[in-house]
Amino acid sequence: MSKRAVVVVDLQNDYWPSGKWPLAGIQEAAANAAKVIEKARSDGDTVIHVRHEFPNPDAPFFVPGTEGVEINRAVRPTEGEPVIVKNHPNSFQQTGLKRMLDEMGIEEVVVIGAMSHMCIAATGRAAADFGYNTVVVHDACATRDIEFNGVAVPAAHVHAASMSALAFAYGKVVGTSEYVSQ
């Protein structure tokens, strides 16, 4: 049995252009994520999908029971692939993800999805903190422009800063082409 799991984080409809919280480059990131998922399936690696739901029905996106909260068809789980529902940026926080990984004997966690600066960063850091060999496939992730203290930060800069921090201290950050050619 493979000791690698691909954790697909929050590739949900609200992040697409027609959704409530669209991300820059989400369709390209999802196409790359689909390649990573296909490789995992063909290699016999575990694929775990994580889906965010805000418990507040007045949330700006990912509202339970809406089409926006559903995993996008580009990366839809196949029968038997687990789907974990989370309410926090960190996919491990108050979910069964760690228990599931440990029960399967997983040693390497590959993280793909959205948003780079939030749930990908939190999940990647937590995976490393828990002692898993951590890989983030940077072009299978997406984010959006953000603003802090009056400074607008373009999505490309947000993504680069997030990936550079993960690569510096938390794990390996690679592109889809490199990952699928292994």
Side-chain angles (χ1 to χ4, degrees), residues 10 15 24 36 59 79-80 82 98 100 106 127 141 167 169-170 176 178-179:
D10 299 351
Y15 281 157
V36 172
E79 189 171 329
K98 183 175 186 325
M100 184 181 296
I106 298 298
C141 298
Y170 291 97
T176 299
E178 179 182 351
Y179 184 80

Side-chain angles (χ1 to χ4, degrees), residues 45-68:
D45 297 340
T46 299
V47 177
I48 300 170
H49 301 265
V50 179
R51 187 168 62 83
H52 195 101
E53 287 187 2
F54 286 110
N56 178 354
D58 295 327
F61 59 100
F62 293 164
V63 175
T66 66
E67 180 64 26

Side-chain angles (χ1 to χ4, degrees), residues 86-156:
K86 68 177 178 68
N87 304 119
H88 303 279
N90 176 351
S91 297
F92 291 91
Q93 186 177 351
Q94 297 177 357
T95 71
L97 179 58
K98 183 175 186 325
R99 184 184 76 255
M100 184 181 296
L101 295 171
D102 290 347
E103 287 173 356
M104 292 185 223
I106 298 298
E107 296 174 1
E108 181 175 307
V109 172
V110 178
V111 182
I112 58 177
M115 290 187 292
S116 305
H117 70 290
M118 292 294 296
C119 300
I120 298 304
T123 299
R125 289 173 186 211
D129 288 345
F130 281 130
Y132 300 107
N133 295 325
T134 304
V135 176
V136 177
V137 183
H138 67 83
D139 56 357
C141 298
T143 194
R144 61 183 288 148
D145 298 349
I146 61 172
E147 181 272 331
F148 177 74
N149 203 23
V151 176
V153 185

